């Protein structure tokens, strides 16, 4: 028997780290006021790349499991 059934997306998040990323501040054009800028068509060196699971359904399921619930993940 399951305590929780989650519905939602499952995705793979990819995080990149590079010294080539330029931070720009512009509260008018960007909702958060900050953005990453790269030259159009440029190729950059990446120092680190991390793959993690993500998505609303996956994140919710992982949170419930960490709290001790038995659950079934169902993709929407």
């Amino acid at each position: 028997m399951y305590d929780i059934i989650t519905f939602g997306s499952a995705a793979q998040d990819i995080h990149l780290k590079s010294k080539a990323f330029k931070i720009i501040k512009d509260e008018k054009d960007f909702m958060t006021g900050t953005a990453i800028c790269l030259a159009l068509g440029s190729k950059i060196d990446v120092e680190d790349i991390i793959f993690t699971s993500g998505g609303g359904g996956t994140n919710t399921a992982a949170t419930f499991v960490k709290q001790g619930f038995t659950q079934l993940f169902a993709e929407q």
Side-chain angles (χ1 to χ4, degrees):
M1 187 67 161
Y2 298 105
D3 298 321
I4 304 290
I5 299 174
T6 59
F7 294 88
S9 62
Q12 183 177 42
D13 293 338
I14 303 170
H15 304 269
L16 303 174
K17 181 179 179 182
S18 176
K19 292 176 184 166
F21 294 151
K22 302 295 180 210
I23 305 298
I24 58 173
K25 297 198 181 285
D26 184 342
E27 292 185 18
K28 180 181 146 221
D29 291 325
F30 303 107
M31 186 182 307
T32 63
T34 306
I36 296 175
C37 182
L38 299 169
L40 184 62
S42 66
K43 293 181 171 61
I44 63 168
D45 289 327
V46 174
E47 284 87 43
D48 197 13
I49 184 168
I50 300 168
F51 297 92
T52 59
S53 64
T58 304
N59 293 342
T60 302
T63 299
F64 282 125
V65 167
K66 287 181 179 181
Q67 293 177 12
F69 289 94
T70 302
Q71 62 87 35
L72 169 68
F73 176 76
E75 187 174 334
Q76 185 174 351

